[in-house]
Each structure stands twice: as C-alpha cells, then as structure tokens.
Amino acid sequence: MGRNNYRNSAVLLITGSIDINKNIPHIKLTDTTERLQQYIDSIEYAIKKYHSIQKIVFAENTNYLYNYTKLKELSKIYDKELEIISFQGNQTKTSIHGKGYGEIEIINYALKHSELINTSDIFIKLTGRIKVSNFDFVILSSYENNSFYYVSRANPPYIETIIYKIEKNLFINHFSEIGTEVSDKDGFYLEHAFLKKIESLKEHYNFGSFRVYRFLRGISGSTGNKYNSSLKSKIGNTLYSIFKRFDINNK
C-alpha cells in the first residue's frame, strides 16, 4: 500500500497511562510529570516525523487533565488530525493482571469511542513515550494487513507489542479479551498472550511482519532503561526483517 493510501486509511493509535497506580507490577517509571512530558514529546514527534499516516489518536486510561491545544494546533500545521481520548480505566484489574491488561483496555475504549478510528478498517498501535526513528519505512514495508514482529529467539518466544498493524474487526473479535489472560506476576505477559492468540488464528487469517526493523527512541516503562541497541544487534535484526525471520509463518 502506497503512502497516499495510508494517509487516507490507517490510523495511528498511541496508548498511554499518565498518572499510574504505583501498585501495578513491573513498572519502573512512575513519576507523573516525567511520563506526561514523554507522551507529549512522542506525540509531537509523530506529528512532525511520521509522514505515512495522517490520523493520530492518543488514548490514555488515567483520566489525566491536560490542555492539548498546542499539539492540536501543531497537527493542523503538519496536515494531521489529532484526537485525544482520556478515561479512567480499571486500576484494580490492571494491578492484578499487569500493564498488559491496561493496554488492551485502552485499545478497546479507543475502538469504541474514537471518531478517527471509526473511519478506518486498520490501525497501527504504538506504545506511548516511544519514538520510532524509521516509522515510515517500517509501516510501508508491511506485507500483510496484520503485521507483527515475532521474536522467535527469545525464551519463551513472544510477539512484540510496542508497534504492530492490525485489522480493526480482527482485534475486536479475537483480541479484545486477551488482557484478562495476562499475569505479569507469573511471567505471562501480553506479548505471550498475543503469540498464543495468533497461533490459534493463523490458519484462518493472514499474518505477516515488516521487511524493515524498527529503531526505537525512548525509555522502557517496565525497566526504566533506554532503548539503545548495539550496531551488531541493529544489523542482525535488519537482516531478520529483510528475510522475513520475524514472520510467525517462518517458524
């Protein structure tokens, strides 16, 4: 799909949690002010740098009050549409299951309430506070409507959930409840739940990946570490992408 078609159809959904419950397991970055600034920076980066999409939705589940007027004005300058969705998620269940539950809750809420997502059959999900320096190349290298990075070299293997592309109806029908399967305390993360679900569906739906590996900027909310891969890792992962080694069908 060419750039113009993407600008007319695909919606970028950036997920976020600004004022988080400190009891959620495996969250290192908890300072509200710091988290907010990182989300603002990432949204601004998306507006200015991501040319292959025109519609951006930022959805966050802590009902944090903030005036996004400057970002909305900036989006108009760059010929983008920006929609902000904020609601209060279920912090009790997120504390029980982990941050993956909250992420699915955010996506479900956005799919029900976003006017921009309602105009599209496909959305691109991106974890908030993360910048993808080669975003356009990644998205335009996708060879299926449902594209993920399958990390087979990990033990256990998993589906990366930082960025992926998926058909809206597929998510609604098959992925909307997987947050309840997550148990961070037991080491079964959202990435594992995605792999389990895709394994059960891949004979009936087309799943693929990206021929370009994503290069990230930002800080992991789980570990507090910066995303900064070595040159050797970047080269290896780039080759993996080119030869479709991140495709779950190439197991």
Side-chain angles (χ1 to χ4, degrees):
M1 183 180 289
R3 169 181 286 189
N4 291 333
N5 288 331
Y6 265 113
R7 286 179 60 83
N8 292 331
S9 63
V11 177
L12 174 62
L13 172 59
I14 301 175
T15 57
S17 296
I18 298 174
D19 187 11
I20 66 169
N21 184 336
K22 306 304 188 291
N23 294 322
I24 297 174
H26 302 293
I27 295 290
K28 296 294 184 182
L29 186 58
T30 59
D31 182 80
T32 300
T33 301
E34 187 176 1
R35 292 178 67 89
L36 171 63
Q37 187 58 55
Q38 290 175 356
Y39 285 123
I40 294 171
D41 291 345
S42 293
I43 296 169
E44 181 177 337
Y45 189 88
I47 292 171
K48 291 181 177 180
K49 301 294 186 180
Y50 300 167
H51 304 294
S52 55
I53 51 93
Q54 190 265 338
K55 300 173 183 178
I56 302 171
V57 177
F58 173 59
E60 78 93 24
N61 66 343
T62 67
N63 208 26
Y64 187 84
L65 295 179
Y66 180 78
N67 189 341
Y68 294 91
T69 300
K70 289 185 178 180
L71 285 173
K72 290 184 177 181
E73 291 175 348
L74 182 68
S75 69
K76 293 179 181 179
I77 295 174
Y78 282 85
D79 190 28
K80 301 278 175 64
E81 294 181 75
L82 174 64
E83 181 181 19
I84 305 295
I85 296 175
S86 186
F87 70 103
Q88 183 57 61
N90 191 323
Q91 293 193 0
T92 299
K93 287 190 175 181
T94 302
S95 296
I96 293 172
H97 293 283
K99 62 186 184 300
Y101 176 90
E103 182 164 294
I104 296 300
E105 183 182 40
I106 293 169
I107 297 172
N108 287 336
Y109 192 92
L111 293 182
K112 291 179 181 178
H113 295 89
S114 169
E115 295 181 3
L116 291 183
I117 293 179
N118 188 50
T119 66
S120 178
D121 294 328
I122 298 172
F123 68 93
I124 300 158
K125 182 269 175 183
L126 176 63
T127 297
R129 301 184 301 102
I130 300 298
K131 303 169 186 175
V132 184
S133 60
N134 59 342
F135 179 90
D136 293 331
F137 293 105
V138 169
I139 299 306
L140 296 176
S141 75
S142 168
Y143 49 86
E144 291 291 352
N145 284 341
N146 306 298
S147 293
F148 301 83
Y149 290 108
Y150 166 59
V151 185
S152 61
R153 293 172 288 177
N155 185 23
Y158 62 88
I159 296 292
E160 186 176 275
T161 59
I162 294 173
I163 182 171
Y164 57 83
K165 181 165 70 85
I166 190 169
E167 294 170 328
K168 183 171 63 179
N169 287 337
L170 174 62
F171 188 96
I172 293 172
N173 292 331
H174 296 286
F175 290 84
S176 60
E177 300 297 327
I178 65 171
T180 59
E181 300 178 19
V182 173
S183 179
D184 282 7
K185 294 177 181 178
D186 297 318
F188 189 77
Y189 304 118
L190 182 62
E191 292 82 356
H192 303 132
F194 259 83
L195 176 57
K196 179 181 176 182
K197 179 61 66 174
I198 291 174
E199 288 276 20
S200 71
L201 296 172
K202 67 178 185 178
E203 292 185 4
H204 308 286
Y205 293 89
N206 293 325
F207 292 98
S209 188
F210 305 93
R211 296 293 286 269
V212 171
Y213 189 65
R214 86 295 178 279
F215 296 137
L216 307 180
R217 299 178 183 176
I219 298 175
S220 169
S222 300
T223 65
N225 298 327
K226 289 184 178 180
Y227 290 102
N228 187 20
S229 300
S230 66
L231 178 60
K232 180 179 179 181
S233 174
K234 288 181 177 179
I235 293 173
N237 285 323
T238 296
L239 292 173
Y240 257 64
S241 290
I242 291 173
F243 293 106
K244 296 186 177 183
R245 296 293 298 276
F246 286 111
D247 190 331
I248 194 171
N249 301 297
N250 288 340
K251 294 180 62 176

